[in-house]
Structures are given as structure tokens and as C-alpha cells.
Amino acid sequence: METANLLWMTGGLAFFTGLVMGMVINHLLGGSRTGSSQLRKQLDKAEAELNEYKEKVADHFSTTAHLVNRMTESYRDVHEHMAASANDLCTDELTRQRLNDALLGSNTLLSGKSDEKTSDMVEPPKDYALKSDPAEAGTLADNFGMDSTKKAVNNA
């Protein structure tokens, strides 16, 4: 009978040990599930914040574009008013012609169109000169506008 009691005690002890180990393993695996759910919540929150930020940026640029368009239209209206007033109020023909020329120049800036007068007025910089010898290095000619005697004195 002693062996039967020992057998029952060993079986009971193994059962309770297995039960405790199962509970510990379940707790450990269940804990990782709650950790992953916390990570999922954080990820969802970060995605929501990013989407909100993207919407704010899109709204900002949309509003800015609308305001710039309104400002451009207002500037155009002021410009047209000034041109009409200049024609109405200026009695001197020379002054009227000068104002029209000035307003025409600013119309060119507004519309982006250029006429032959403005393209003729543009000149390259005075310090730029093409080199006669293409083998020389650099973009500016070192001897541009210098006499050969001055060059000889500078080199000596």
C-alpha cells in the first residue's frame, strides 16, 4: 500500500507541477500578446498623427495658393487702375508717353512676355570676355583690355 500511496503522491505532485508550469507559460505568452497590442495601439496612434499632419500641410499649401492668387489679382487691379488713371489725368503728351512706357515695362514683368526693346537692353557683364586661345584655362580672359606693355611690366 505504501507504493500505491507513493504512486498517488508522485502523480498528484506531477499534476500540480504541470498545472503551475502551464499557468506560468500561459502568463508569459499572454503577456507578449498584451505587449503586441500596445505596440499596435502606438503604431495606430502614430499613423493617425501622420495623416493629420499631412492634411494640415495640404490645407496650408492650398490656402497659401489661394491667398497668393488673390494678391496677384489685387495687384493686377491696382496696376490697371494706375494705367487708366495715368491716361486720364496726365495732360502732357510726353509725360503720358513716359508713363505708358513704364506701365508697359511692368506689364511685361507681370505677363512674362518680352518685347524687342527689353531684350536689346540686356547686356552681358563688362568683366566677361571670350578668350582668343581656347587652350587657356578659366572663364575670363586675363589679358582683356590690357596693353601688351602693361602686361610685360606686370609679369616682370
Side-chain angles (χ1 to χ4, degrees):
M1 207 100 154
E2 258 181 55
T3 54
N5 283 339
L6 185 61
L7 189 60
W8 277 104
M9 283 180 71
T10 306
L13 186 62
F15 174 76
F16 285 117
T17 305
L19 186 63
V20 169
M21 286 180 63
M23 291 170 80
V24 168
I25 290 173
N26 186 28
H27 178 70
L28 291 176
L29 292 178
S32 66
R33 286 189 192 128
T34 57
S36 66
S37 67
Q38 287 176 345
L39 288 176
R40 172 55 62 191
K41 288 178 184 177
Q42 288 177 349
L43 180 63
D44 291 342
K45 181 181 175 185
E47 286 178 349
E49 288 175 358
L50 178 64
N51 289 335
E52 182 182 345
Y53 177 74
K54 285 180 180 179
E55 287 178 19
K56 285 182 180 179
V57 169
D59 288 344
H60 166 74
F61 282 111
S62 175
T63 303
T64 302
H66 177 69
L67 292 173
V68 168
N69 286 337
R70 275 189 10 205
M71 183 176 65
T72 302
E73 290 171 3
S74 296
Y75 180 75
R76 188 178 301 121
D77 292 343
V78 168
H79 187 269
E80 289 172 359
H81 171 72
M82 293 294 290
S85 296
N87 284 332
D88 291 342
L89 299 176
C90 291
T91 56
D92 183 19
E93 187 60 37
L94 180 62
T95 306
R96 182 180 292 170
Q97 183 62 36
R98 287 175 55 199
L99 283 172
N100 283 335
D101 289 344
L103 290 172
L104 180 64
S106 62
N107 277 340
T108 302
L109 292 176
L110 284 176
S111 64
K113 298 176 185 173
S114 62
D115 55 349
E116 292 176 10
K117 284 184 185 178
T118 42
S119 63
D120 289 342
M121 292 177 7
V122 177
E123 294 181 11
K126 298 289 185 188
D127 63 343
Y128 182 78
L130 295 174
K131 294 186 183 249
S132 57
D133 183 15
E136 292 180 12
T139 58
L140 296 178
D142 295 331
N143 58 358
F144 178 71
M146 295 179 60
D147 293 342
S148 59
T149 57
K150 288 182 183 177
K151 186 175 182 182
V153 170
N154 289 339
N155 287 339

